[in-house]
Amino acid sequence: MPISRVGLVVHGGRPQAVAGARTVREWCARHGIGCVDIDVWQDGASRRHAREEVQAAGGPDLIVTLGGDGTFLRGARIAAKNDAMVLGVDVGRVGFLTETPVAEVRQALEAIQDGRCECEERMMLMMRSSRLLEIPLGMEETLCYGRGPALPPPEPRPERDAVEEDTWGIPLDINALNDVVVEKLARDRQVSVGVYIAGRLLASYSADGVILATPTGSTAYSFAAGGPVLSPRMRALVFTPVAPHMAFNRTVIANVDEPIALLVLPHSGRAAVSVDGQSRGILEPGDWIGVAAAPRPLRLVRLTPANFYGRLRERMRLTDAPATAADGEAAPVFRPAGPLPEDLHGFRLPPAP
């Protein structure tokens, strides 16, 4: 899969990421490949819509992110508009999305250029809303504290059908790889929402917030709120309430063809909407949003077979449990050396030792 143009998303506050970006630029120059920095801002500067970033960058077919998972998510929102591949270079601390060490970025680019890699598909989310989302004047600094400037308000999707907006809401030009979160604005006012799955009311919740996550996002905020871990190869929607004031506080997992809608109830406080950790708007009582599986997945570059459970074991420090003492330094692999039995053909197993 030869590369024709590279887009760079860099965590400028990490020297390793800045040094890695120089390596990428030098490699691109040596191979005659265009390379441009995207999603760049300075203090006081504004940010651009994902489609504007793609157009300004000349339509990169590979986006390289250098940082942690937050930097990766910045690149993912842009790649989703161009069906570009994303290579996550790891300079973070607890990341699940970035796997390539920064010291190996040159080798990674060579492998991609030579076709010695594969693309792993990850489900994304799309959104509709009863009205266009926006952050009211004067609230941006509070909602986006420590995260840089806010992204511009989501625009309607270019291919939307104007007729359907009267009844089905406005389809927004926005995607989420991890999650869509609706949470309370004031400490003393919970958010109250009616949760509809596949068009039918599940329950009304009063809570600090509610999370709609992908399987990829199941290890992020949803996990911190008590949700389950799902294989990122799955296609499903994960609904997790955050500190609900009700006996039923469990996560509900919906099938991929079952959209979830959240209606802010009349007695609710105002609610903030964030997408992959970025504040995108405020909901008033009576507003609603709908979340469903996006038609196209994100394509992650993998240089070696994905090892999600090994990464889960490492990142969650499962090796620290006393019961793992017998593992030694290398975790065992349940994969006998003999031929694969006929009834196990087609299952995902590690290669034979």
Side-chain angles (χ1 to χ4, degrees):
M1 51 184 78
I3 307 168
S4 61
R5 193 165 182 81
V6 172
L8 268 180
V9 184
V10 184
H11 190 308
R14 295 188 179 168
Q16 279 185 298
V18 174
R22 283 198 298 269
T23 301
V24 175
R25 294 187 192 98
E26 291 166 2
W27 184 90
C28 288
R30 190 161 57 250
H31 289 77
I33 294 171
C35 182
V36 61
D37 287 71
I38 53 179
D39 199 20
V40 178
W41 70 87
Q42 304 296 330
D43 290 341
S46 60
R47 299 174 71 182
R48 295 187 288 198
H49 293 286
R51 290 189 188 275
E52 292 174 340
E53 292 281 6
V54 167
Q55 292 168 1
D61 51 2
L62 173 68
I63 291 179
V64 179
T65 72
L66 296 106
D69 281 358
T71 308
F72 186 95
L73 292 171
R74 285 168 50 199
R77 77 175 183 96
I78 299 166
K81 301 306 175 193
N82 196 39
D83 198 28
M85 301 180 295
V86 186
L87 171 66
V89 179
D90 188 14
V91 206
R93 300 182 181 90
V94 196
F96 277 90
L97 297 171
T98 55
E99 292 191 357
T100 301
V102 68
E104 299 176 13
V105 65
R106 185 180 290 105
Q107 297 93 309
L109 292 169
E110 294 285 357
I112 297 169
Q113 185 76 336
D114 296 341
R116 293 181 284 110
C117 67
E118 59 182 39
C119 278
E120 178 185 342
E121 295 187 343
R122 295 288 184 93
M123 170 187 158
M124 299 192 81
L125 301 175
M126 62 180 182
M127 287 180 62
R128 287 176 177 266
S129 64
S130 53
R131 61 178 176 84
L132 287 173
L133 298 178
E134 61 179 354
I135 297 177
L137 196 64
M139 293 188 67
E140 177 180 332
E141 185 175 351
T142 301
L143 290 177
C144 302
Y145 179 77
R147 300 176 183 172
L151 289 164
E155 295 181 327
R157 267 181 247 148
E159 68 276 13
R160 72 190 187 281
D161 183 345
V163 176
E164 71 183 19
E165 292 181 12
D166 291 338
T167 51
W168 290 96
I170 302 171
L172 300 177
D173 193 21
I174 189 172
N175 295 102
L177 176 61
N178 265 0
D179 49 40
V180 176
V181 178
V182 174
E183 54 194 335
K184 67 180 185 180
L185 274 177
R187 191 175 68 85
D188 61 343
R189 287 294 301 274
Q190 289 197 311
V191 60
S192 298
V193 294
V195 179
Y196 295 78
I197 300 181
R200 296 184 181 276
L201 179 66
L202 169 69
S204 295
Y205 289 79
S206 285
D208 284 1
V210 292
I211 306 165
L212 303 179
T214 64
T216 295
S218 70
T219 53
Y221 190 10
S222 177
F223 176 81
V229 174
L230 273 66
S231 165
R233 301 179 66 239
M234 292 179 63
R235 285 175 53 80
L237 278 75
V238 184
F239 165 73
T240 303
V242 181
H245 276 219
M246 59 191 299
F248 185 73
N249 62 354
R250 305 296 184 179
T251 292
V252 176
I253 301 174
N255 196 42
V256 69
D257 62 355
E258 297 176 323
I260 300 179
L262 305 175
L263 171 64
V264 183
L265 300 177
H267 59 279
S268 174
R270 301 169 85 190
V273 180
S274 63
V275 178
D276 281 347
Q278 297 282 323
S279 298
R280 304 309 302 268
I282 299 297
L283 298 179
E284 304 283 351
D287 292 338
W288 61 262
I289 61 168
V291 176
R296 291 192 306 186
L298 185 73
R299 298 191 298 147
L300 277 66
V301 174
R302 291 294 186 232
L303 306 178
T304 57
N307 183 11
F308 170 72
Y309 299 104
R311 181 156 282 251
L312 180 68
R313 175 184 169 89
E314 172 193 336
R315 291 300 197 238
M316 298 302 175
R317 300 186 180 278
L318 303 183
T319 54
D320 290 347
T324 66
D327 288 354
E329 293 191 11
V333 175
F334 181 71
R335 172 58 163 93
L340 197 64
E342 186 176 343
D343 64 326
L344 294 182
H345 280 285
F347 286 90
R348 191 177 182 89
L349 293 169

PDB file of all heavy atoms in Angstrom, residues 6-29:
ATOM      1  N   VAL A   6       1.250  12.185   3.671  1.00  0.00           N
ATOM      2  CA  VAL A   6       1.169  11.906   5.108  1.00  0.00           C
ATOM      3  C   VAL A   6       0.682  13.146   5.846  1.00  0.00           C
ATOM      4  O   VAL A   6       1.141  14.262   5.583  1.00  0.00           O
ATOM      5  CB  VAL A   6       2.543  11.470   5.664  1.00  0.00           C
ATOM      6  CG1 VAL A   6       2.507  11.371   7.191  1.00  0.00           C
ATOM      7  CG2 VAL A   6       2.957  10.136   5.066  1.00  0.00           C
ATOM      8  N   GLY A   7      -0.247  12.944   6.773  1.00  0.00           N
ATOM      9  CA  GLY A   7      -0.666  14.002   7.692  1.00  0.00           C
ATOM     10  C   GLY A   7      -0.117  13.700   9.073  1.00  0.00           C
ATOM     11  O   GLY A   7      -0.189  12.549   9.540  1.00  0.00           O
ATOM     12  N   LEU A   8       0.440  14.698   9.742  1.00  0.00           N
ATOM     13  CA  LEU A   8       1.079  14.527  11.051  1.00  0.00           C
ATOM     14  C   LEU A   8       0.256  15.200  12.141  1.00  0.00           C
ATOM     15  O   LEU A   8      -0.082  16.376  12.031  1.00  0.00           O
ATOM     16  CB  LEU A   8       2.471  15.152  11.046  1.00  0.00           C
ATOM     17  CG  LEU A   8       3.678  14.283  10.682  1.00  0.00           C
ATOM     18  CD1 LEU A   8       4.945  15.140  10.752  1.00  0.00           C
ATOM     19  CD2 LEU A   8       3.797  13.097  11.608  1.00  0.00           C
ATOM     20  N   VAL A   9      -0.041  14.465  13.205  1.00  0.00           N
ATOM     21  CA  VAL A   9      -0.657  15.039  14.403  1.00  0.00           C
ATOM     22  C   VAL A   9       0.312  14.801  15.553  1.00  0.00           C
ATOM     23  O   VAL A   9       0.608  13.651  15.893  1.00  0.00           O
ATOM     24  CB  VAL A   9      -2.021  14.397  14.713  1.00  0.00           C
ATOM     25  CG1 VAL A   9      -2.668  15.094  15.906  1.00  0.00           C
ATOM     26  CG2 VAL A   9      -2.938  14.473  13.502  1.00  0.00           C
ATOM     27  N   VAL A  10       0.812  15.863  16.151  1.00  0.00           N
ATOM     28  CA  VAL A  10       1.917  15.757  17.105  1.00  0.00           C
ATOM     29  C   VAL A  10       1.529  16.374  18.449  1.00  0.00           C
ATOM     30  O   VAL A  10       0.957  17.463  18.494  1.00  0.00           O
ATOM     31  CB  VAL A  10       3.181  16.470  16.561  1.00  0.00           C
ATOM     32  CG1 VAL A  10       4.355  16.264  17.504  1.00  0.00           C
ATOM     33  CG2 VAL A  10       3.517  15.974  15.160  1.00  0.00           C
ATOM     34  N   HIS A  11       1.845  15.664  19.529  1.00  0.00           N
ATOM     35  CA  HIS A  11       1.712  16.236  20.871  1.00  0.00           C
ATOM     36  C   HIS A  11       2.933  17.125  21.103  1.00  0.00           C
ATOM     37  O   HIS A  11       4.020  16.641  21.455  1.00  0.00           O
ATOM     38  CB  HIS A  11       1.646  15.124  21.908  1.00  0.00           C
ATOM     39  CG  HIS A  11       1.272  15.584  23.286  1.00  0.00           C
ATOM     40  ND1 HIS A  11       1.924  16.617  23.944  1.00  0.00           N
ATOM     41  CD2 HIS A  11       0.299  15.172  24.144  1.00  0.00           C
ATOM     42  CE1 HIS A  11       1.376  16.807  25.121  1.00  0.00           C
ATOM     43  NE2 HIS A  11       0.388  15.940  25.273  1.00  0.00           N
ATOM     44  N   GLY A  12       2.769  18.422  20.897  1.00  0.00           N
ATOM     45  CA  GLY A  12       3.894  19.340  20.957  1.00  0.00           C
ATOM     46  C   GLY A  12       4.533  19.478  22.318  1.00  0.00           C
ATOM     47  O   GLY A  12       5.647  19.991  22.427  1.00  0.00           O
ATOM     48  N   GLY A  13       3.885  19.002  23.377  1.00  0.00           N
ATOM     49  CA  GLY A  13       4.434  19.127  24.713  1.00  0.00           C
ATOM     50  C   GLY A  13       5.337  17.982  25.114  1.00  0.00           C
ATOM     51  O   GLY A  13       5.844  17.961  26.239  1.00  0.00           O
ATOM     52  N   ARG A  14       5.541  17.024  24.220  1.00  0.00           N
ATOM     53  CA  ARG A  14       6.386  15.871  24.538  1.00  0.00           C
ATOM     54  C   ARG A  14       7.575  15.830  23.587  1.00  0.00           C
ATOM     55  O   ARG A  14       7.407  15.649  22.378  1.00  0.00           O
ATOM     56  CB  ARG A  14       5.586  14.575  24.446  1.00  0.00           C
ATOM     57  CG  ARG A  14       4.481  14.522  25.500  1.00  0.00           C
ATOM     58  CD  ARG A  14       3.792  13.197  25.579  1.00  0.00           C
ATOM     59  NE  ARG A  14       2.773  13.208  26.627  1.00  0.00           N
ATOM     60  CZ  ARG A  14       1.858  12.278  26.775  1.00  0.00           C
ATOM     61  NH1 ARG A  14       1.813  11.250  25.936  1.00  0.00           N
ATOM     62  NH2 ARG A  14       0.973  12.348  27.758  1.00  0.00           N
ATOM     63  N   PRO A  15       8.788  16.037  24.110  1.00  0.00           N
ATOM     64  CA  PRO A  15       9.977  16.078  23.255  1.00  0.00           C
ATOM     65  C   PRO A  15      10.132  14.845  22.372  1.00  0.00           C
ATOM     66  O   PRO A  15      10.570  14.946  21.226  1.00  0.00           O
ATOM     67  CB  PRO A  15      11.130  16.194  24.256  1.00  0.00           C
ATOM     68  CG  PRO A  15      10.520  16.840  25.472  1.00  0.00           C
ATOM     69  CD  PRO A  15       9.122  16.309  25.538  1.00  0.00           C
ATOM     70  N   GLN A  16       9.776  13.662  22.886  1.00  0.00           N
ATOM     71  CA  GLN A  16       9.882  12.444  22.083  1.00  0.00           C
ATOM     72  C   GLN A  16       8.981  12.515  20.858  1.00  0.00           C
ATOM     73  O   GLN A  16       9.347  12.065  19.777  1.00  0.00           O
ATOM     74  CB  GLN A  16       9.497  11.223  22.921  1.00  0.00           C
ATOM     75  CG  GLN A  16      10.598  10.701  23.824  1.00  0.00           C
ATOM     76  CD  GLN A  16      10.152   9.419  24.503  1.00  0.00           C
ATOM     77  OE1 GLN A  16       9.188   9.411  25.268  1.00  0.00           O
ATOM     78  NE2 GLN A  16      10.850   8.336  24.222  1.00  0.00           N
ATOM     79  N   ALA A  17       7.786  13.079  21.041  1.00  0.00           N
ATOM     80  CA  ALA A  17       6.859  13.196  19.913  1.00  0.00           C
ATOM     81  C   ALA A  17       7.394  14.177  18.878  1.00  0.00           C
ATOM     82  O   ALA A  17       7.305  13.931  17.669  1.00  0.00           O
ATOM     83  CB  ALA A  17       5.487  13.650  20.421  1.00  0.00           C
ATOM     84  N   VAL A  18       7.951  15.288  19.328  1.00  0.00           N
ATOM     85  CA  VAL A  18       8.515  16.285  18.411  1.00  0.00           C
ATOM     86  C   VAL A  18       9.685  15.692  17.640  1.00  0.00           C
ATOM     87  O   VAL A  18       9.821  15.877  16.423  1.00  0.00           O
ATOM     88  CB  VAL A  18       8.946  17.540  19.199  1.00  0.00           C
ATOM     89  CG1 VAL A  18       9.664  18.527  18.296  1.00  0.00           C
ATOM     90  CG2 VAL A  18       7.725  18.199  19.857  1.00  0.00           C
ATOM     91  N   ALA A  19      10.551  14.939  18.319  1.00  0.00           N
ATOM     92  CA  ALA A  19      11.688  14.296  17.648  1.00  0.00           C
ATOM     93  C   ALA A  19      11.202  13.247  16.653  1.00  0.00           C
ATOM     94  O   ALA A  19      11.731  13.126  15.535  1.00  0.00           O
ATOM     95  CB  ALA A  19      12.618  13.668  18.683  1.00  0.00           C
ATOM     96  N   GLY A  20      10.172  12.486  17.035  1.00  0.00           N
ATOM     97  CA  GLY A  20       9.623  11.487  16.128  1.00  0.00           C
ATOM     98  C   GLY A  20       9.021  12.119  14.881  1.00  0.00           C
ATOM     99  O   GLY A  20       9.121  11.562  13.776  1.00  0.00           O
ATOM    100  N   ALA A  21       8.398  13.290  15.050  1.00  0.00           N
ATOM    101  CA  ALA A  21       7.824  13.994  13.895  1.00  0.00           C
ATOM    102  C   ALA A  21       8.916  14.411  12.914  1.00  0.00           C
ATOM    103  O   ALA A  21       8.717  14.358  11.695  1.00  0.00           O
ATOM    104  CB  ALA A  21       7.034  15.214  14.372  1.00  0.00           C
ATOM    105  N   ARG A  22      10.078  14.831  13.437  1.00  0.00           N
ATOM    106  CA  ARG A  22      11.190  15.172  12.545  1.00  0.00           C
ATOM    107  C   ARG A  22      11.625  13.955  11.728  1.00  0.00           C
ATOM    108  O   ARG A  22      11.919  14.063  10.531  1.00  0.00           O
ATOM    109  CB  ARG A  22      12.369  15.700  13.366  1.00  0.00           C
ATOM    110  CG  ARG A  22      12.214  17.124  13.848  1.00  0.00           C
ATOM    111  CD  ARG A  22      13.553  17.728  14.269  1.00  0.00           C
ATOM    112  NE  ARG A  22      14.140  16.987  15.384  1.00  0.00           N
ATOM    113  CZ  ARG A  22      13.936  17.282  16.665  1.00  0.00           C
ATOM    114  NH1 ARG A  22      13.153  18.298  16.988  1.00  0.00           N
ATOM    115  NH2 ARG A  22      14.522  16.576  17.622  1.00  0.00           N
ATOM    116  N   THR A  23      11.638  12.796  12.359  1.00  0.00           N
ATOM    117  CA  THR A  23      12.000  11.562  11.650  1.00  0.00           C
ATOM    118  C   THR A  23      11.012  11.276  10.527  1.00  0.00           C
ATOM    119  O   THR A  23      11.406  10.891   9.415  1.00  0.00           O
ATOM    120  CB  THR A  23      12.021  10.377  12.638  1.00  0.00           C
ATOM    121  OG1 THR A  23      12.966  10.632  13.672  1.00  0.00           O
ATOM    122  CG2 THR A  23      12.391   9.086  11.925  1.00  0.00           C
ATOM    123  N   VAL A  24       9.719  11.485  10.787  1.00  0.00           N
ATOM    124  CA  VAL A  24       8.698  11.255   9.758  1.00  0.00           C
ATOM    125  C   VAL A  24       8.889  12.223   8.593  1.00  0.00           C
ATOM    126  O   VAL A  24       8.834  11.826   7.415  1.00  0.00           O
ATOM    127  CB  VAL A  24       7.280  11.399  10.353  1.00  0.00           C
ATOM    128  CG1 VAL A  24       6.223  11.285   9.261  1.00  0.00           C
ATOM    129  CG2 VAL A  24       7.038  10.344  11.431  1.00  0.00           C
ATOM    130  N   ARG A  25       9.135  13.488   8.899  1.00  0.00           N
ATOM    131  CA  ARG A  25       9.311  14.475   7.832  1.00  0.00           C
ATOM    132  C   ARG A  25      10.548  14.141   6.986  1.00  0.00           C
ATOM    133  O   ARG A  25      10.511  14.246   5.749  1.00  0.00           O
ATOM    134  CB  ARG A  25       9.450  15.873   8.432  1.00  0.00           C
ATOM    135  CG  ARG A  25       8.188  16.380   9.129  1.00  0.00           C
ATOM    136  CD  ARG A  25       8.324  17.835   9.548  1.00  0.00           C
ATOM    137  NE  ARG A  25       7.245  18.225  10.441  1.00  0.00           N
ATOM    138  CZ  ARG A  25       7.340  18.272  11.769  1.00  0.00           C
ATOM    139  NH1 ARG A  25       8.499  17.970  12.365  1.00  0.00           N
ATOM    140  NH2 ARG A  25       6.306  18.634  12.510  1.00  0.00           N
ATOM    141  N   GLU A  26      11.617  13.739   7.654  1.00  0.00           N
ATOM    142  CA  GLU A  26      12.841  13.389   6.918  1.00  0.00           C
ATOM    143  C   GLU A  26      12.612  12.170   6.029  1.00  0.00           C
ATOM    144  O   GLU A  26      13.064  12.127   4.880  1.00  0.00           O
ATOM    145  CB  GLU A  26      13.982  13.116   7.906  1.00  0.00           C
ATOM    146  CG  GLU A  26      14.466  14.365   8.642  1.00  0.00           C
ATOM    147  CD  GLU A  26      15.343  14.022   9.838  1.00  0.00           C
ATOM    148  OE1 GLU A  26      15.591  12.801  10.055  1.00  0.00           O
ATOM    149  OE2 GLU A  26      15.766  14.955  10.552  1.00  0.00           O
ATOM    150  N   TRP A  27      11.904  11.185   6.538  1.00  0.00           N
ATOM    151  CA  TRP A  27      11.615   9.983   5.738  1.00  0.00           C
ATOM    152  C   TRP A  27      10.770  10.346   4.524  1.00  0.00           C
ATOM    153  O   TRP A  27      11.033   9.871   3.410  1.00  0.00           O
ATOM    154  CB  TRP A  27      10.906   8.952   6.606  1.00  0.00           C
ATOM    155  CG  TRP A  27      10.650   7.650   5.895  1.00  0.00           C
ATOM    156  CD1 TRP A  27      11.471   6.562   5.844  1.00  0.00           C
ATOM    157  CD2 TRP A  27       9.487   7.310   5.132  1.00  0.00           C
ATOM    158  NE1 TRP A  27      10.904   5.572   5.086  1.00  0.00           N
ATOM    159  CE2 TRP A  27       9.689   6.006   4.642  1.00  0.00           C
ATOM    160  CE3 TRP A  27       8.312   7.980   4.797  1.00  0.00           C
ATOM    161  CZ2 TRP A  27       8.743   5.353   3.854  1.00  0.00           C
ATOM    162  CZ3 TRP A  27       7.369   7.347   4.008  1.00  0.00           C
ATOM    163  CH2 TRP A  27       7.585   6.042   3.536  1.00  0.00           C
ATOM    164  N   CYS A  28       9.762  11.170   4.719  1.00  0.00           N
ATOM    165  CA  CYS A  28       8.891  11.573   3.601  1.00  0.00           C
ATOM    166  C   CYS A  28       9.688  12.349   2.553  1.00  0.00           C
ATOM    167  O   CYS A  28       9.526  12.133   1.344  1.00  0.00           O
ATOM    168  CB  CYS A  28       7.730  12.417   4.119  1.00  0.00           C
ATOM    169  SG  CYS A  28       6.489  11.486   5.049  1.00  0.00           S
ATOM    170  N   ALA A  29      10.546  13.263   2.994  1.00  0.00           N
ATOM    171  CA  ALA A  29      11.353  14.048   2.052  1.00  0.00           C
ATOM    172  C   ALA A  29      12.266  13.144   1.239  1.00  0.00           C
ATOM    173  O   ALA A  29      12.453  13.337   0.030  1.00  0.00           O
ATOM    174  CB  ALA A  29      12.161  15.091   2.807  1.00  0.00           C
TER     175      ALA A  29
END
